[in-house]
Coordinates of all heavy atoms in Angstrom, one line a residue:
M27 N -80.0 -91.7 -48.1 CA -80.2 -93.2 -48.0 C -81.6 -93.5 -48.5 O -82.6 -92.8 -48.1 CB -80.1 -93.6 -46.5 CG -80.6 -95.0 -46.2 SD -80.5 -95.4 -44.5 CE -79.8 -97.0 -44.6
I28 N -81.7 -94.4 -49.4 CA -83.0 -94.9 -50.0 C -83.1 -96.4 -49.6 O -82.2 -97.2 -49.8 CB -83.0 -94.7 -51.5 CG1 -83.0 -93.2 -51.8 CG2 -84.2 -95.3 -52.1 CD1 -82.9 -92.8 -53.3
I29 N -84.3 -96.7 -49.1 CA -84.6 -98.1 -48.8 C -85.9 -98.5 -49.5 O -86.8 -97.6 -49.6 CB -84.6 -98.4 -47.3 CG1 -85.7 -97.6 -46.6 CG2 -83.3 -98.1 -46.7 CD1 -86.0 -98.0 -45.2
E30 N -86.1 -99.7 -49.9 CA -87.3 -100.3 -50.4 C -87.6 -101.6 -49.7 O -86.7 -102.3 -49.4 CB -87.2 -100.5 -51.9 CG -86.9 -99.2 -52.7 CD -86.9 -99.4 -54.2 OE1 -87.3 -100.5 -54.7 OE2 -86.5 -98.5 -54.9
F31 N -88.9 -101.8 -49.5 CA -89.3 -103.0 -48.8 C -90.8 -103.2 -49.0 O -91.5 -102.4 -49.5 CB -89.1 -102.8 -47.3 CG -89.8 -101.7 -46.6 CD1 -91.1 -101.9 -46.0 CD2 -89.3 -100.4 -46.5 CE1 -91.8 -100.9 -45.4 CE2 -89.9 -99.4 -45.9 CZ -91.2 -99.6 -45.4
E32 N -91.2 -104.5 -48.7 CA -92.6 -104.8 -48.8 C -93.0 -105.2 -47.4 O -92.3 -105.9 -46.6 CB -92.9 -106.0 -49.7 CG -94.4 -106.2 -49.9 CD -94.7 -107.1 -51.1 OE1 -94.1 -106.9 -52.2 OE2 -95.5 -108.0 -50.9
S33 N -94.2 -104.7 -46.9 CA -94.7 -105.0 -45.6 C -96.2 -105.1 -45.6 O -96.8 -105.3 -46.7 CB -94.2 -103.8 -44.7 OG -94.4 -104.2 -43.3
E34 N -96.8 -105.1 -44.5 CA -98.3 -105.2 -44.4 C -98.9 -104.0 -43.8 O -98.3 -103.4 -42.8 CB -98.6 -106.5 -43.5 CG -100.0 -106.8 -43.4 CD -100.2 -108.1 -42.6 OE1 -99.7 -109.1 -43.0 OE2 -100.9 -108.0 -41.6
V35 N -100.1 -103.6 -44.2 CA -100.8 -102.5 -43.6 C -101.5 -103.0 -42.4 O -102.1 -104.1 -42.4 CB -101.9 -102.0 -44.6 CG1 -102.7 -100.9 -44.0 CG2 -101.2 -101.5 -45.9
F36 N -101.4 -102.2 -41.3 CA -102.1 -102.6 -40.1 C -102.7 -101.3 -39.4 O -102.3 -100.2 -39.7 CB -101.2 -103.3 -39.1 CG -100.1 -102.5 -38.5 CD1 -100.2 -101.9 -37.3 CD2 -98.8 -102.5 -39.1 CE1 -99.2 -101.1 -36.7 CE2 -97.8 -101.7 -38.6 CZ -97.9 -101.1 -37.4
L37 N -103.7 -101.6 -38.6 CA -104.4 -100.5 -37.9 C -103.9 -100.3 -36.5 O -103.8 -101.3 -35.8 CB -105.9 -100.8 -37.9 CG -106.8 -99.7 -37.2 CD1 -106.7 -98.4 -38.1 CD2 -108.2 -100.2 -37.1
W38 N -103.4 -99.1 -36.2 CA -103.0 -98.8 -34.8 C -104.1 -98.1 -34.2 O -104.6 -97.1 -34.6 CB -101.8 -97.9 -34.9 CG -101.2 -97.5 -33.5 CD1 -100.4 -98.3 -32.7 CD2 -101.5 -96.3 -32.8 NE1 -100.1 -97.6 -31.6 CE2 -100.8 -96.3 -31.6 CE3 -102.2 -95.1 -33.1 CZ2 -100.8 -95.3 -30.7 CZ3 -102.2 -94.1 -32.2 CH2 -101.5 -94.2 -31.0
D39 N -104.6 -98.7 -33.1 CA -105.8 -98.2 -32.4 C -105.6 -98.2 -30.9 O -106.5 -98.5 -30.1 CB -107.1 -98.9 -32.8 CG -107.0 -100.4 -32.5 OD1 -106.0 -100.9 -32.0 OD2 -108.0 -101.1 -32.7
A40 N -104.4 -97.9 -30.5 CA -104.0 -97.9 -29.1 C -104.8 -96.9 -28.3 O -105.0 -97.0 -27.1 CB -102.5 -97.8 -28.9
R41 N -105.2 -95.8 -28.9 CA -106.0 -94.7 -28.3 C -107.4 -94.7 -28.9 O -107.5 -94.8 -30.1 CB -105.3 -93.4 -28.5 CG -104.0 -93.2 -27.7 CD -103.3 -91.9 -27.9 NE -104.2 -90.8 -28.2 CZ -103.8 -89.6 -28.6 NH1 -102.5 -89.5 -28.9 NH2 -104.6 -88.6 -28.9
A42 N -108.4 -94.6 -28.1 CA -109.7 -94.6 -28.5 C -110.0 -93.5 -29.5 O -110.9 -93.6 -30.4 CB -110.7 -94.6 -27.3
D43 N -109.4 -92.3 -29.3 CA -109.6 -91.2 -30.2 C -108.8 -91.1 -31.5 O -109.0 -90.2 -32.3 CB -109.4 -89.9 -29.4 CG -108.0 -89.7 -28.9 OD1 -107.3 -90.7 -28.6 OD2 -107.5 -88.6 -28.8
V44 N -107.9 -92.1 -31.7 CA -107.0 -92.0 -32.8 C -106.9 -93.5 -33.4 O -106.6 -94.4 -32.7 CB -105.6 -91.5 -32.5 CG1 -104.7 -91.6 -33.7 CG2 -105.7 -90.1 -31.9
A45 N -107.2 -93.6 -34.7 CA -106.9 -94.8 -35.4 C -106.1 -94.5 -36.6 O -106.6 -93.7 -37.4 CB -108.2 -95.5 -35.7
M46 N -105.0 -95.1 -36.8 CA -104.1 -94.8 -37.9 C -103.7 -96.1 -38.6 O -103.5 -97.1 -38.0 CB -102.8 -94.1 -37.5 CG -103.1 -92.7 -36.9 SD -101.5 -91.8 -36.6 CE -100.6 -92.9 -35.6
H47 N -103.6 -96.0 -39.9 CA -103.1 -97.2 -40.7 C -101.6 -96.9 -40.9 O -101.2 -95.8 -41.2 CB -103.8 -97.3 -42.1 CG -105.2 -97.8 -42.0 ND1 -106.2 -97.0 -41.7 CD2 -105.7 -99.0 -42.1 CE1 -107.3 -97.7 -41.6 NE2 -107.0 -98.9 -41.9
L48 N -100.8 -98.0 -40.6 CA -99.4 -97.9 -40.6 C -98.8 -99.1 -41.3 O -99.5 -100.1 -41.6 CB -98.8 -97.9 -39.2 CG -99.3 -96.9 -38.2 CD1 -98.9 -97.3 -36.8 CD2 -98.9 -95.5 -38.5
T49 N -97.5 -99.1 -41.6 CA -96.8 -100.2 -42.0 C -95.4 -100.2 -41.3 O -94.9 -99.1 -41.0 CB -96.6 -100.3 -43.6 OG1 -96.2 -101.6 -43.9 CG2 -95.7 -99.3 -44.1
S50 N -94.8 -101.3 -41.1 CA -93.5 -101.4 -40.4 C -92.4 -101.5 -41.3 O -92.4 -102.3 -42.3 CB -93.5 -102.6 -39.4 OG -94.4 -102.4 -38.4
V51 N -91.3 -100.8 -41.1 CA -90.0 -100.9 -41.8 C -89.4 -102.2 -41.2 O -89.4 -102.4 -40.0 CB -89.1 -99.7 -41.5 CG1 -87.8 -99.9 -42.2 CG2 -89.8 -98.4 -42.0
P52 N -89.0 -103.1 -42.0 CA -88.4 -104.4 -41.5 C -87.2 -104.1 -40.5 O -86.6 -103.1 -40.6 CB -87.8 -105.1 -42.8 CG -88.7 -104.5 -43.9 CD -89.0 -103.1 -43.5
P53 N -87.1 -105.0 -39.5 CA -86.1 -104.8 -38.4 C -84.7 -104.5 -38.9 O -84.0 -103.6 -38.4 CB -86.1 -106.2 -37.7 CG -87.4 -106.7 -38.0 CD -87.8 -106.3 -39.4
E54 N -84.2 -105.2 -39.9 CA -82.8 -104.9 -40.4 C -82.7 -103.6 -41.0 O -81.6 -102.9 -40.8 CB -82.3 -106.0 -41.3 CG -83.1 -106.2 -42.6 CD -84.4 -107.0 -42.5 OE1 -84.7 -107.5 -41.4 OE2 -85.1 -107.1 -43.6
L55 N -83.7 -103.1 -41.7 CA -83.6 -101.7 -42.3 C -83.8 -100.7 -41.2 O -83.2 -99.6 -41.3 CB -84.7 -101.6 -43.4 CG -84.4 -102.5 -44.6 CD1 -85.6 -102.4 -45.6 CD2 -83.1 -102.2 -45.3
S56 N -84.7 -101.0 -40.2 CA -84.8 -100.1 -39.1 C -83.5 -99.9 -38.4 O -83.2 -98.8 -37.9 CB -85.9 -100.6 -38.1 OG -87.2 -100.6 -38.7
E57 N -82.8 -100.9 -38.2 CA -81.5 -100.9 -37.5 C -80.5 -100.0 -38.3 O -79.8 -99.1 -37.8 CB -80.9 -102.3 -37.4 CG -79.5 -102.3 -36.6 CD -79.6 -101.7 -35.2 OE1 -80.6 -101.9 -34.5 OE2 -78.6 -101.1 -34.8
D58 N -80.5 -100.1 -39.7 CA -79.7 -99.3 -40.5 C -80.1 -97.8 -40.3 O -79.2 -96.9 -40.2 CB -79.9 -99.6 -42.0 CG -79.3 -101.0 -42.3 OD1 -78.5 -101.5 -41.5 OD2 -79.6 -101.5 -43.4
I59 N -81.4 -97.5 -40.2 CA -81.8 -96.1 -40.0 C -81.4 -95.6 -38.7 O -81.0 -94.4 -38.6 CB -83.3 -96.0 -40.2 CG1 -83.7 -96.3 -41.7 CG2 -83.9 -94.6 -39.8 CD1 -85.2 -96.5 -41.9
R60 N -81.5 -96.4 -37.6 CA -81.1 -96.0 -36.3 C -79.6 -95.6 -36.2 O -79.2 -94.8 -35.4 CB -81.4 -97.1 -35.3 CG -82.7 -97.0 -34.6 CD -82.8 -97.9 -33.4 NE -82.8 -99.3 -33.8 CZ -83.8 -100.1 -34.3 NH1 -84.9 -99.5 -34.5 NH2 -83.6 -101.3 -34.5
E61 N -78.8 -96.2 -37.1 CA -77.4 -96.0 -37.0 C -77.0 -94.7 -37.8 O -75.8 -94.2 -37.7 CB -76.6 -97.1 -37.6 CG -76.7 -98.4 -36.8 CD -76.0 -99.6 -37.4 OE1 -75.4 -99.5 -38.5 OE2 -76.1 -100.7 -36.8
I62 N -77.9 -94.0 -38.5 CA -77.6 -92.8 -39.2 C -77.4 -91.6 -38.2 O -78.3 -91.4 -37.4 CB -78.7 -92.4 -40.2 CG1 -78.8 -93.5 -41.2 CG2 -78.4 -91.1 -40.8 CD1 -80.1 -93.3 -42.1
P63 N -76.3 -91.0 -38.2 CA -76.2 -89.8 -37.3 C -77.1 -88.7 -37.8 O -77.1 -88.4 -39.0 CB -74.7 -89.4 -37.4 CG -74.0 -90.4 -38.3 CD -75.1 -91.2 -38.9
R64 N -77.9 -88.1 -36.9 CA -78.9 -87.1 -37.3 C -79.3 -86.3 -36.1 O -79.2 -86.7 -35.0 CB -80.1 -87.7 -38.0 CG -80.9 -88.6 -37.1 CD -82.1 -89.3 -37.9 NE -82.7 -90.2 -37.0 CZ -82.4 -91.4 -36.7 NH1 -81.3 -91.9 -37.3 NH2 -83.1 -92.1 -35.9
P65 N -79.9 -85.1 -36.4 CA -80.4 -84.3 -35.3 C -81.6 -85.0 -34.6 O -82.4 -85.7 -35.2 CB -80.8 -83.0 -35.9 CG -81.0 -83.3 -37.4 CD -80.1 -84.5 -37.7
H66 N -81.7 -84.8 -33.3 CA -82.8 -85.4 -32.5 C -84.1 -84.7 -32.9 O -84.1 -83.5 -32.9 CB -82.6 -85.4 -31.0 CG -83.7 -85.9 -30.2 ND1 -84.0 -87.3 -30.2 CD2 -84.6 -85.3 -29.5 CE1 -85.0 -87.4 -29.4 NE2 -85.5 -86.3 -29.0
R67 N -85.2 -85.4 -33.1 CA -86.5 -84.9 -33.4 C -87.5 -85.5 -32.4 O -87.2 -86.5 -31.9 CB -86.9 -85.2 -34.8 CG -86.0 -84.6 -35.9 CD -86.7 -84.5 -37.2 NE -85.7 -84.0 -38.2 CZ -85.4 -82.7 -38.4 NH1 -85.9 -81.8 -37.6 NH2 -84.5 -82.4 -39.3
G68 N -88.6 -84.8 -32.2 CA -89.6 -85.2 -31.3 C -90.0 -86.7 -31.5 O -90.2 -87.1 -32.7
F69 N -90.2 -87.4 -30.5 CA -90.6 -88.8 -30.5 C -89.6 -89.7 -31.3 O -90.0 -90.9 -31.6 CB -92.0 -89.0 -31.1 CG -93.1 -88.2 -30.5 CD1 -93.6 -87.1 -31.2 CD2 -93.5 -88.5 -29.2 CE1 -94.6 -86.3 -30.6 CE2 -94.5 -87.7 -28.6 CZ -95.0 -86.6 -29.3
G70 N -88.4 -89.2 -31.6 CA -87.5 -90.0 -32.4 C -87.8 -90.1 -33.8 O -87.3 -91.0 -34.6
A71 N -88.6 -89.2 -34.3 CA -89.1 -89.2 -35.7 C -87.9 -89.0 -36.7 O -86.9 -88.3 -36.4 CB -90.1 -88.1 -35.9
V72 N -88.0 -89.6 -37.8 CA -87.1 -89.4 -38.9 C -87.8 -88.9 -40.2 O -88.8 -89.6 -40.6 CB -86.3 -90.8 -39.2 CG1 -85.4 -90.6 -40.4 CG2 -85.6 -91.3 -38.0
R73 N -87.4 -87.8 -40.7 CA -88.0 -87.2 -41.9 C -87.7 -88.1 -43.1 O -86.6 -88.5 -43.3 CB -87.6 -85.8 -42.1 CG -88.1 -84.9 -41.0 CD -87.6 -83.4 -41.2 NE -86.2 -83.4 -41.6 CZ -85.7 -82.6 -42.6 NH1 -86.5 -81.9 -43.3 NH2 -84.4 -82.7 -42.9
V74 N -88.7 -88.3 -43.9 CA -88.6 -89.1 -45.1 C -89.5 -88.6 -46.3 O -90.4 -87.9 -46.0 CB -88.9 -90.6 -44.9 CG1 -88.0 -91.3 -43.9 CG2 -90.4 -90.8 -44.5
I75 N -89.1 -89.0 -47.5 CA -90.0 -88.9 -48.6 C -90.5 -90.3 -48.9 O -89.6 -91.2 -49.1 CB -89.4 -88.3 -49.9 CG1 -89.0 -86.8 -49.6 CG2 -90.3 -88.4 -51.1 CD1 -88.2 -86.2 -50.7
A76 N -91.8 -90.6 -48.8 CA -92.3 -91.9 -49.0 C -92.9 -92.0 -50.3 O -93.5 -91.1 -50.8 CB -93.3 -92.2 -47.9
R77 N -92.8 -93.2 -51.0 CA -93.5 -93.5 -52.2 C -94.1 -94.9 -52.1 O -93.5 -95.9 -51.8 CB -92.5 -93.5 -53.4 CG -93.1 -93.9 -54.7 CD -92.2 -93.8 -55.9 NE -91.9 -92.5 -56.3 CZ -92.7 -91.8 -57.1 NH1 -93.8 -92.3 -57.6 NH2 -92.4 -90.6 -57.5
V78 N -95.4 -94.9 -52.5 CA -96.1 -96.1 -52.6 C -96.9 -96.1 -53.9 O -97.7 -95.2 -54.2 CB -97.2 -96.3 -51.4 CG1 -98.1 -97.5 -51.7 CG2 -96.5 -96.4 -50.1
G79 N -96.5 -96.9 -54.8 CA -97.1 -96.9 -56.2 C -96.8 -95.5 -56.8 O -95.7 -95.1 -56.8
G80 N -97.8 -94.8 -57.3 CA -97.7 -93.5 -57.9 C -97.8 -92.4 -56.9 O -97.8 -91.2 -57.3
S81 N -98.0 -92.7 -55.6 CA -98.1 -91.6 -54.6 C -96.8 -91.4 -53.9 O -96.1 -92.3 -53.5 CB -99.2 -92.1 -53.5 OG -100.4 -92.3 -54.1
E82 N -96.5 -90.1 -53.7 CA -95.3 -89.7 -53.0 C -95.6 -88.5 -52.1 O -96.4 -87.6 -52.5 CB -94.2 -89.3 -54.1 CG -92.9 -88.9 -53.4 CD -91.8 -88.7 -54.4 OE1 -91.2 -89.6 -55.0 OE2 -91.5 -87.5 -54.7
W83 N -95.1 -88.5 -50.9 CA -95.3 -87.5 -49.9 C -94.2 -87.4 -48.9 O -93.5 -88.4 -48.7 CB -96.7 -87.7 -49.2 CG -96.8 -88.9 -48.3 CD1 -96.8 -88.8 -46.9 CD2 -96.9 -90.3 -48.6 NE1 -96.9 -90.0 -46.4 CE2 -96.9 -91.0 -47.4 CE3 -96.9 -91.0 -49.8 CZ2 -97.0 -92.4 -47.3 CZ3 -97.0 -92.4 -49.7 CH2 -97.1 -93.0 -48.5
K84 N -94.1 -86.2 -48.3 CA -93.1 -86.0 -47.2 C -93.8 -86.3 -45.9 O -95.0 -85.8 -45.7 CB -92.6 -84.5 -47.2 CG -91.6 -84.2 -48.3 CD -91.0 -82.9 -48.1 CE -89.9 -82.6 -49.1 NZ -89.4 -81.2 -48.9
T85 N -93.1 -87.0 -45.1 CA -93.7 -87.4 -43.8 C -92.6 -87.8 -42.8 O -91.4 -87.5 -43.1 CB -94.7 -88.6 -43.9 OG1 -95.4 -88.8 -42.7 CG2 -94.0 -89.8 -44.4
S86 N -92.9 -88.4 -41.8 CA -91.9 -88.9 -40.8 C -92.2 -90.4 -40.5 O -93.4 -90.8 -40.5 CB -91.8 -88.1 -39.6 OG -91.4 -86.8 -39.8
I87 N -91.2 -91.1 -40.2 CA -91.4 -92.5 -39.7 C -91.1 -92.4 -38.2 O -90.3 -91.5 -37.7 CB -90.5 -93.5 -40.3 CG1 -89.0 -93.2 -40.3 CG2 -91.0 -93.8 -41.8 CD1 -88.1 -94.2 -40.9
F88 N -91.7 -93.2 -37.4 CA -91.6 -93.1 -35.9 C -91.1 -94.5 -35.3 O -91.6 -95.5 -35.8 CB -92.9 -92.7 -35.3 CG -93.4 -91.4 -35.8 CD1 -94.2 -91.4 -37.0 CD2 -93.1 -90.3 -35.2 CE1 -94.7 -90.2 -37.5 CE2 -93.5 -89.0 -35.7 CZ -94.3 -89.0 -36.8
P89 N -90.3 -94.5 -34.3 CA -89.9 -95.7 -33.7 C -91.0 -96.4 -32.9 O -91.8 -95.7 -32.2 CB -88.7 -95.3 -32.7 CG -89.0 -93.9 -32.4 CD -89.7 -93.3 -33.6
D90 N -91.2 -97.7 -33.1 CA -92.1 -98.4 -32.3 C -91.3 -99.3 -31.3 O -90.7 -100.3 -31.7 CB -93.0 -99.3 -33.3 CG -94.0 -100.2 -32.5 OD1 -94.0 -100.2 -31.3 OD2 -94.7 -100.9 -33.2
K91 N -91.4 -98.9 -30.0 CA -90.6 -99.6 -29.0 C -91.0 -101.1 -28.9 O -90.1 -101.9 -28.6 CB -90.7 -98.9 -27.7 CG -90.0 -97.5 -27.7 CD -90.1 -96.8 -26.4 CE -89.4 -95.5 -26.6 NZ -89.4 -94.7 -25.4
R92 N -92.2 -101.4 -29.1 CA -92.7 -102.7 -28.9 C -92.1 -103.7 -29.9 O -91.6 -104.8 -29.6 CB -94.2 -102.8 -29.1 CG -94.9 -104.1 -28.9 CD -96.4 -104.1 -29.2 NE -96.8 -103.4 -30.4 CZ -96.9 -104.0 -31.6 NH1 -96.6 -105.2 -31.7 NH2 -97.2 -103.3 -32.6
T93 N -91.9 -103.3 -31.2 CA -91.4 -104.1 -32.2 C -89.9 -103.8 -32.6 O -89.3 -104.5 -33.4 CB -92.2 -104.0 -33.5 OG1 -92.2 -102.7 -34.0 CG2 -93.6 -104.5 -33.3
E94 N -89.4 -102.7 -32.0 CA -88.1 -102.2 -32.3 C -87.9 -101.9 -33.8 O -86.8 -102.2 -34.4 CB -87.0 -103.1 -31.7 CG -87.1 -103.2 -30.2 CD -85.9 -104.0 -29.7 OE1 -85.1 -104.6 -30.4 OE2 -85.9 -104.1 -28.4
T95 N -88.9 -101.4 -34.4 CA -88.9 -101.0 -35.8 C -89.4 -99.6 -36.0 O -89.9 -99.0 -35.0 CB -89.7 -101.9 -36.7 OG1 -91.1 -101.8 -36.4 CG2 -89.3 -103.4 -36.6
Y96 N -89.3 -99.0 -37.1 CA -89.9 -97.8 -37.5 C -91.2 -98.1 -38.1 O -91.4 -99.1 -38.8 CB -89.1 -96.9 -38.4 CG -87.9 -96.2 -37.7 CD1 -86.7 -96.8 -37.6 CD2 -88.1 -95.0 -37.1 CE1 -85.6 -96.2 -37.0 CE2 -87.0 -94.4 -36.4 CZ -85.8 -95.0 -36.4 OH -84.8 -94.4 -35.7
V97 N -92.2 -97.2 -37.9 CA -93.5 -97.3 -38.6 C -93.8 -96.1 -39.5 O -93.4 -95.0 -39.1 CB -94.7 -97.6 -37.6 CG1 -94.5 -98.9 -36.9 CG2 -94.8 -96.4 -36.6
L98 N -94.4 -96.4 -40.6 CA -94.8 -95.3 -41.6 C -96.3 -95.1 -41.6 O -97.0 -96.1 -41.8 CB -94.3 -95.7 -43.0 CG -94.8 -94.9 -44.1 CD1 -94.2 -93.5 -44.1 CD2 -94.5 -95.5 -45.5
P99 N -96.8 -93.9 -41.2 CA -98.2 -93.7 -41.3 C -98.6 -93.6 -42.8 O -97.9 -93.1 -43.6 CB -98.4 -92.3 -40.7 CG -97.1 -92.0 -40.0 CD -96.1 -92.8 -40.6
L100 N -99.8 -94.3 -43.1 CA -100.3 -94.3 -44.5 C -101.6 -93.5 -44.5 O -102.6 -94.0 -44.1 CB -100.6 -95.8 -44.9 CG -99.3 -96.7 -44.9 CD1 -99.7 -98.1 -45.0 CD2 -98.4 -96.2 -46.1
K101 N -101.5 -92.3 -45.0 CA -102.7 -91.4 -44.9 C -103.8 -91.9 -45.9 O -103.5 -92.7 -46.8 CB -102.3 -90.0 -45.2 CG -101.6 -89.7 -46.5 CD -101.1 -88.2 -46.5 CE -100.5 -87.9 -47.9 NZ -100.2 -86.5 -47.9
K102 N -105.0 -91.5 -45.5 CA -106.2 -92.0 -46.3 C -106.1 -91.8 -47.8 O -106.4 -92.6 -48.6 CB -107.4 -91.4 -45.7 CG -108.7 -91.9 -46.2 CD -109.9 -91.3 -45.5 CE -111.2 -92.0 -46.0 NZ -112.4 -91.5 -45.3
A103 N -105.6 -90.6 -48.2 CA -105.5 -90.3 -49.6 C -104.6 -91.3 -50.3 O -104.9 -91.7 -51.4 CB -105.0 -88.9 -49.8
V104 N -103.5 -91.7 -49.7 CA -102.6 -92.7 -50.3 C -103.3 -94.0 -50.3 O -103.2 -94.8 -51.3 CB -101.3 -92.7 -49.5 CG1 -100.4 -93.9 -50.0 CG2 -100.6 -91.4 -49.7
R105 N -103.9 -94.4 -49.2 CA -104.6 -95.8 -49.1 C -105.6 -95.9 -50.2 O -105.7 -96.9 -50.9 CB -105.2 -96.0 -47.8 CG -104.2 -96.1 -46.7 CD -104.7 -96.7 -45.4 NE -106.1 -96.2 -45.0 CZ -106.3 -95.1 -44.3 NH1 -105.3 -94.3 -43.9 NH2 -107.5 -94.8 -44.0
N106 N -106.4 -94.8 -50.4 CA -107.5 -94.8 -51.4 C -106.9 -94.9 -52.8 O -107.3 -95.6 -53.7 CB -108.4 -93.6 -51.3 CG -109.3 -93.7 -50.1 OD1 -109.5 -94.8 -49.5 ND2 -109.8 -92.6 -49.7
A107 N -105.9 -94.0 -53.1 CA -105.3 -93.9 -54.4 C -104.6 -95.2 -54.8 O -104.6 -95.6 -56.0 CB -104.3 -92.8 -54.5
E108 N -104.0 -95.9 -53.8 CA -103.2 -97.1 -54.1 C -103.9 -98.4 -53.8 O -103.4 -99.5 -53.9 CB -101.9 -97.1 -53.4 CG -101.0 -95.8 -53.7 CD -100.7 -95.7 -55.2 OE1 -100.6 -96.7 -55.9 OE2 -100.6 -94.5 -55.6
G109 N -105.2 -98.3 -53.4 CA -106.0 -99.5 -53.1 C -105.4 -100.3 -51.9 O -105.5 -101.6 -51.9
L110 N -104.9 -99.6 -50.9 CA -104.3 -100.3 -49.7 C -105.4 -100.6 -48.7 O -106.3 -99.8 -48.4 CB -103.3 -99.5 -49.1 CG -102.1 -99.1 -49.9 CD1 -101.1 -98.2 -49.2 CD2 -101.4 -100.3 -50.5
V111 N -105.4 -101.8 -48.1 CA -106.4 -102.2 -47.1 C -105.6 -102.9 -45.9 O -104.5 -103.4 -46.1 CB -107.4 -103.2 -47.7 CG1 -108.2 -102.6 -48.8 CG2 -106.7 -104.5 -48.2
E112 N -106.3 -102.8 -44.8 CA -105.8 -103.4 -43.6 C -105.5 -104.9 -43.8 O -106.3 -105.6 -44.4 CB -106.7 -103.2 -42.4 CG -106.2 -103.8 -41.1 CD -107.2 -103.6 -40.0 OE1 -108.2 -102.9 -40.2 OE2 -107.0 -104.2 -38.9
G113 N -104.3 -105.3 -43.5 CA -103.9 -106.7 -43.7 C -103.3 -107.0 -45.0 O -102.8 -108.1 -45.3
G114 N -103.4 -106.0 -45.9 CA -102.9 -106.2 -47.3 C -101.4 -105.8 -47.4 O -100.9 -105.1 -46.5
P115 N -100.8 -106.2 -48.5 CA -99.4 -105.9 -48.7 C -99.2 -104.4 -49.2 O -100.1 -103.9 -49.8 CB -98.9 -106.9 -49.8 CG -100.2 -107.1 -50.6 CD -101.3 -107.0 -49.6
V116 N -98.0 -103.9 -48.9 CA -97.7 -102.6 -49.4 C -96.2 -102.6 -49.8 O -95.4 -103.1 -49.0 CB -98.0 -101.4 -48.4 CG1 -97.3 -101.6 -47.1 CG2 -97.7 -100.1 -49.0
R117 N -95.9 -102.0 -50.9 CA -94.5 -101.9 -51.4 C -94.1 -100.4 -51.2 O -94.8 -99.5 -51.7 CB -94.3 -102.3 -52.8 CG -92.9 -102.2 -53.3 CD -92.3 -103.5 -53.6 NE -90.9 -103.4 -54.0 CZ -89.9 -103.8 -53.2 NH1 -90.2 -104.3 -52.0 NH2 -88.7 -103.6 -53.6
V118 N -93.0 -100.2 -50.4 CA -92.7 -98.8 -50.0 C -91.2 -98.5 -50.4 O -90.4 -99.3 -50.3 CB -92.8 -98.7 -48.5 CG1 -92.3 -97.3 -48.0 CG2 -94.2 -99.0 -48.0
R119 N -91.1 -97.3 -50.8 CA -89.7 -96.7 -51.1 C -89.6 -95.5 -50.2 O -90.5 -94.6 -50.2 CB -89.6 -96.3 -52.5 CG -88.2 -95.6 -52.9 CD -88.2 -95.1 -54.3 NE -86.9 -94.6 -54.7 CZ -86.5 -93.4 -54.5 NH1 -87.2 -92.5 -53.9 NH2 -85.3 -93.0 -54.9
L120 N -88.6 -95.5 -49.3 CA -88.3 -94.3 -48.4 C -87.0 -93.7 -48.8 O -86.0 -94.4 -48.9 CB -88.3 -94.8 -47.0 CG -89.5 -95.3 -46.4 CD1 -89.3 -95.7 -44.9 CD2 -90.7 -94.3 -46.4
E121 N -87.0 -92.4 -48.9 CA -85.8 -91.6 -49.0 C -85.6 -90.9 -47.6 O -86.4 -90.1 -47.3 CB -85.8 -90.6 -50.1 CG -84.5 -89.8 -50.2 CD -84.6 -88.8 -51.3 OE1 -85.5 -88.8 -52.1 OE2 -83.7 -87.9 -51.3
V122 N -84.6 -91.3 -46.9 CA -84.4 -90.8 -45.5 C -83.7 -89.4 -45.7 O -82.7 -89.3 -46.3 CB -83.5 -91.7 -44.7 CG1 -83.2 -91.1 -43.3 CG2 -84.1 -93.1 -44.6
L123 N -84.4 -88.4 -45.2 CA -83.9 -87.0 -45.4 C -83.0 -86.5 -44.3 O -82.2 -85.6 -44.4 CB -85.1 -86.0 -45.4 CG -86.1 -86.3 -46.6 CD1 -87.3 -85.3 -46.5 CD2 -85.4 -86.1 -47.9
D124 N -83.1 -87.2 -43.1 CA -82.2 -86.8 -42.0 C -80.9 -87.5 -42.0 O -80.2 -87.6 -41.0 CB -83.0 -87.2 -40.7 CG -84.1 -86.2 -40.4 OD1 -84.1 -85.1 -41.0 OD2 -85.0 -86.6 -39.6
A125 N -80.4 -87.9 -43.1 CA -79.1 -88.6 -43.2 C -78.0 -87.6 -43.4 O -78.2 -86.6 -44.0 CB -79.1 -89.6 -44.3

């Protein structure tokens, strides 16, 4: 399954010792991902290949119970390479590997 979407970069700072930049998969696409039969992984993670601009990497998306969507961590190397900033837009392509 391949999905593409545009979202916003935000900072998750719920823990004082961890601050991560993330983006949310839109609710309707998150629902499609939830419906895929797959093996259970820790924290409800779903393995994906993510692409933002010219950057591609293997990672996992994680369910966010507050918004009922999946979130994609955006590592620093990708943010720097693609010029992503908190509050700015990001265009994402995800290939779901756990399908």
Side-chain angles (χ1 to χ4, degrees):
M27 170 184 222
I28 294 175
I29 61 170
E30 294 185 15
F31 60 93
E32 188 166 313
S33 193
E34 183 176 303
V35 177
F36 67 93
L37 182 64
W38 181 81
D39 59 357
R41 289 179 30 196
D43 61 328
V44 178
M46 295 189 302
H47 287 83
L48 308 168
T49 193
S50 292
V51 177
E54 61 279 358
L55 296 175
S56 291
E57 182 62 33
D58 291 345
I59 294 168
R60 268 193 294 282
E61 291 177 4
I62 298 170
R64 65 182 176 279
H66 178 72
R67 300 201 183 281
F69 305 108
V72 177
R73 295 178 314 133
V74 298
I75 296 174
R77 175 179 284 279
V78 172
S81 300
E82 184 174 282
W83 70 104
K84 283 187 178 181
T85 188
S86 293
I87 55 175
F88 301 90
D90 178 357
K91 291 181 182 178
R92 181 181 51 84
T93 62
E94 296 184 358
T95 64
Y96 283 93
V97 293
L98 170 68
L100 298 167
K101 57 188 184 176
K102 186 175 185 176
V104 171
R105 293 192 321 271
N106 289 343
E108 303 303 331
L110 303 177
V111 295
E112 182 180 352
V116 59
R117 180 111 185 110
V118 178
R119 179 185 186 272
L120 294 179
E121 179 180 349
V122 179
L123 299 177
D124 286 341

